[in-house]
Amino acid sequence: MYIFLDPLCSACWDLQPIIRKLQVEYGQYFTVRTVLSTQLSNLNTVCTKPNEHLVKSNGDYLDMEHPVFPSIAVKAAEFQGKKAALRFFNKIQEHLFLKTKNVTSFSVLQELAIEVNIDVQEFSNDFRSKECARSFQSDLNITCEMEVTSFPSIVFFNENIEDEGIKVSGIYPYEIYVQILNEMLYEEPHKQQPPSLEKLFERFYSLTTSEIACYYNISEPQAERELKKRLLLQQVDRLVLQDTVLWRLK
């Protein structure tokens, strides 16, 4: 399953609970390859300097802003592990939708790396590296080869290399993705039982109340009560994002 995402796309945030539910219930049948990309117009945007008097970062890099920086930054975070990259991607989107920080700024991206416990020096070096540039270019090439022009998009493949993939652009009800999985497997997939809440948090970093209720087939008030118990025990943190409440392990 190839998932094409742009960190600056709000719909990519909306797709996240659907992908997670697929992983929780049917993750034994597929692997996820996340492809980071951006709108073509963003690639043609010139870097800007928010303040002409800013000093150079690490002596060789001005504090610049560019809409493609978040995608490159997630690729840089991947050099410290996929979990680190996922935490970083989520943190970018949190601040993007809260409108608390300008996530297209390199200096802000450095701050976010610190927030999610990424080695900021290593991150900064990787961000500037040829290896990171090649990794991002590879994602752009895959985006072009699979003719993906909008985000989010998912391309499903099965083990039969002669079968064509199925591309789904935009967001659809969860049942549609299960139906596609069924078609790709040529059989009805077996639903798994959800893991413990701690393992879910370790895997996905942050979760909404509605996601947790959905995974365990309980009501949202029940999920809220269980999470508040853990909050009192200082096992989790609670973050309010506009109309959404996020929970994460301390």
Side-chain angles (χ1 to χ4, degrees):
M1 182 187 299
Y2 286 77
I3 304 177
F4 295 82
L5 302 174
D6 177 355
L8 299 183
C9 169
S10 60
C12 292
W13 176 267
D14 296 333
L15 178 68
Q16 185 171 259
I18 294 174
I19 298 303
R20 288 176 169 179
K21 188 175 181 182
L22 276 174
Q23 290 177 301
V24 169
E25 295 188 342
Y26 302 107
Q28 72 271 34
Y29 293 106
F30 64 89
T31 57
V32 171
R33 165 74 156 88
T34 300
V35 182
L36 292 175
S37 194
T38 187
Q39 298 291 347
L40 182 60
S41 59
N42 288 340
L43 292 174
N44 297 326
T45 303
V46 177
C47 284
T48 60
K49 289 183 286 185
N51 188 331
E52 294 289 342
H53 302 291
L54 285 173
V55 298
K56 289 186 177 181
S57 173
N58 295 330
D60 66 351
Y61 199 84
L62 284 171
D63 185 14
M64 305 291 279
E65 296 177 3
H66 195 283
V68 80
F69 277 6
S71 292
I72 297 174
V74 176
K75 297 304 292 184
E78 278 185 0
F79 286 93
Q80 298 187 44
K82 289 187 176 181
K83 286 187 177 181
L86 176 61
R87 294 197 308 270
F88 191 68
F89 184 94
N90 288 344
K91 181 62 69 173
I92 287 174
Q93 294 217 305
E94 285 175 17
H95 283 293
L96 174 67
F97 302 132
L98 279 174
K99 295 183 171 62
T100 52
K101 292 185 179 181
N102 177 11
V103 297
T104 66
S105 164
F106 178 69
S107 64
V108 169
L109 291 168
Q110 287 179 310
E111 293 173 13
L112 302 190
I114 295 172
E115 285 187 30
V116 295
N117 298 318
I118 290 176
D119 185 312
V120 69
Q121 185 60 58
E122 185 179 339
F123 164 79
S124 300
N125 292 338
D126 288 332
F127 184 92
R128 300 177 176 86
S129 70
K130 292 180 180 179
E131 291 79 12
C132 184
R134 281 196 289 265
S135 180
F136 182 55
Q137 184 61 54
S138 174
D139 278 15
L140 292 178
N141 291 341
I142 293 172
T143 303
C144 182
E145 289 169 6
M146 295 194 185
E147 300 180 347
V148 172
T149 57
S150 62
F151 308 101
S153 290
I154 302 177
V155 180
F156 294 83
F157 289 101
N158 62 20
E159 294 180 345
N160 188 347
I161 59 175
E162 295 181 357
D163 289 352
E164 291 188 2
I166 298 177
K167 182 169 65 176
V168 181
S169 298
I171 301 178
Y172 293 87
Y174 177 73
E175 291 73 22
I176 297 297
Y177 299 95
V178 175
Q179 181 181 339
I180 294 172
L181 188 62
N182 193 330
E183 292 175 6
M184 299 301 288
L185 293 170
Y186 298 112
E187 63 180 15
E188 185 175 349
H190 175 70
K191 185 187 296 186
Q192 296 183 114
Q193 291 299 313
S196 67
L197 189 56
E198 287 74 15
K199 288 186 177 179
L200 277 180
F201 276 120
E202 288 173 4
R203 183 173 185 180
F204 298 127
Y205 180 58
S206 59
L207 294 161
T208 65
T209 308
S210 60
E211 282 182 284
I212 293 168
C214 180
Y215 296 153
Y216 295 104
N217 195 28
I218 58 176
S219 68
E220 287 195 33
Q222 283 178 291
E224 182 89 12
R225 285 195 297 271
E226 181 60 34
L227 289 161
K228 283 182 176 178
K229 291 177 187 177
R230 295 168 186 264
L231 183 66
L232 290 173
L233 293 171
Q234 298 187 336
Q235 296 175 346
V236 298
D237 284 325
R238 184 176 186 268
L239 177 66
V240 179
L241 297 179
Q242 296 178 349
D243 297 328
T244 302
V245 176
L246 283 179
W247 303 84
R248 63 168 64 106
L249 289 180
K250 272 189 171 294

